[in-house]
Amino acid sequence: ILNVEQSPQSLHVQEGDSTNFTCSFPSSNFYALHWYRWETAKSPEALFVMTLNGDEKKKGRISATLNTKEGYSYLYIKGSQPEDSATYLCAPSTPISSGSARQLTFGSGTQLTVLP
Amino acid sequence: DAGVTQSPTHLIKTRGQHVTLRCSPISGHKSVSWYQQVLGQGPQFIFQYYEKEERGRGNFPDRFSARQFPNYSSELNVNALLLGDSALYLCASSFVFTGAQYFGPGTRLLVL
């Protein structure tokens, strides 16, 4: 079973602060790294899919980097806003041994609260 | 375009009963995956279907089964429900089984 760790588990920041979270995963047998934002009572929203070592992706104030050799990804939020409050999940995509599909193995997430 | 839809949104069952959860993927998506999420943990992979065939199965007992229909919608069935099956069940669709997955709002199942 793949061990995906996210830190911190929860985080409270003030509006305007910049913040970052970490996702660690085994670097072998890796296909892609997915980041999702999950607001309460909504569907998880896909943020980024990254595959290459050194990949950097950006979406507005949110960006992410990927290091496949050492097995980690960082998610950065610049100038946090209250609407950024959500749980941020990472999930490496790895082959499923029983077939040709790939499964997402999720970490427990980082719960971000942005205080106005 | 409509996103992934799931029904019902909430469900209460008793131990030993059977439940069927339904999922309609985004139009044009041919792959559907099912996940179970319990409080405090990330979603756990149950099944993936592509072109109506099972392409992958997670570490769940045989009480869990699924199928995909010709219109690419999918059902997740759970027999002989246990208290521990209480969870949020998420469905995700993707264009191909290796692509980005888009999630529905989930079905919250409570087993009493």
Side-chain angles (χ1 to χ4, degrees):
Chain A
I1 297 177
L2 206 62
N3 187 29
V4 181
E5 295 187 359
Q6 290 190 246
S7 63
Q9 190 174 8
S10 67
L11 192 57
H12 289 72
V13 301
Q14 290 294 136
E15 183 175 354
D17 287 350
S18 293
T19 186
N20 64 85
F21 332 129
T22 304
C23 171
S24 301
F25 53 90
S27 55
S28 60
N29 222 19
F30 163 90
Y31 177 73
L33 194 283
H34 299 243
W35 278 101
Y36 287 87
R37 173 170 60 199
W38 196 358
E39 295 179 65
T40 304
K42 293 187 178 180
S43 308
E45 173 196 354
L47 288 175
F48 304 113
V49 181
M50 296 183 288
T51 56
L52 299 175
N53 185 46
D55 248 356
E56 289 188 34
K57 296 261 176 130
K58 189 175 180 182
K59 184 177 183 179
R61 294 178 292 97
I62 305 177
S63 60
T65 61
L66 177 66
N67 184 322
T68 60
K69 292 182 179 178
E70 296 182 38
Y72 65 83
S73 176
Y74 293 135
L75 187 80
Y76 301 91
I77 302 179
K78 185 177 177 183
S80 302
Q81 299 296 309
E83 58 264 31
D84 295 329
S85 297
T87 297
Y88 291 81
L89 293 163
C90 74
S93 168
T94 53
I96 300 170
S97 59
S98 60
S100 55
R102 291 179 174 82
Q103 69 174 80
L104 298 181
T105 302
F106 285 88
S108 298
T110 293
Q111 188 172 10
L112 173 67
T113 303
V114 182
L115 304 168
Chain B
D1 280 341
V4 177
T5 59
Q6 292 186 244
S7 63
T9 55
H10 296 82
L11 203 50
I12 299 176
K13 292 284 189 178
T14 55
R15 280 179 299 175
Q17 284 190 311
H18 162 270
V19 69
T20 298
L21 310 180
R22 295 178 175 84
C23 170
S24 291
I26 291 171
S27 177
H29 284 192
K30 299 181 179 180
S31 179
V32 169
S33 299
W34 287 95
Y35 293 83
Q36 180 196 65
Q37 195 254 344
V38 297
L39 207 60
Q41 297 180 22
Q44 259 198 297
F45 173 75
I46 311 176
F47 284 111
Q48 185 176 71
Y49 276 76
Y50 177 69
E51 288 285 13
K52 302 176 284 291
E53 289 186 10
E54 182 184 306
R55 296 301 179 117
R57 183 187 183 111
N59 190 25
F60 279 80
D62 291 343
R63 298 184 296 108
F64 288 76
S65 64
R67 55 181 178 167
Q68 188 177 31
F69 299 99
N71 66 354
Y72 303 109
S73 67
S74 177
E75 282 183 355
L76 176 70
N77 296 284
V78 187
N79 292 324
L81 284 166
L82 303 174
L83 296 179
D85 295 330
S86 296
L88 179 69
Y89 289 85
L90 292 163
C91 169
S93 77
S94 56
F95 182 65
V96 292
F97 56 80
T98 54
Q101 297 188 18
Y102 297 87
F103 284 84
T107 293
R108 188 163 295 282
L109 172 65
L110 177 60
V111 182
L112 300 176

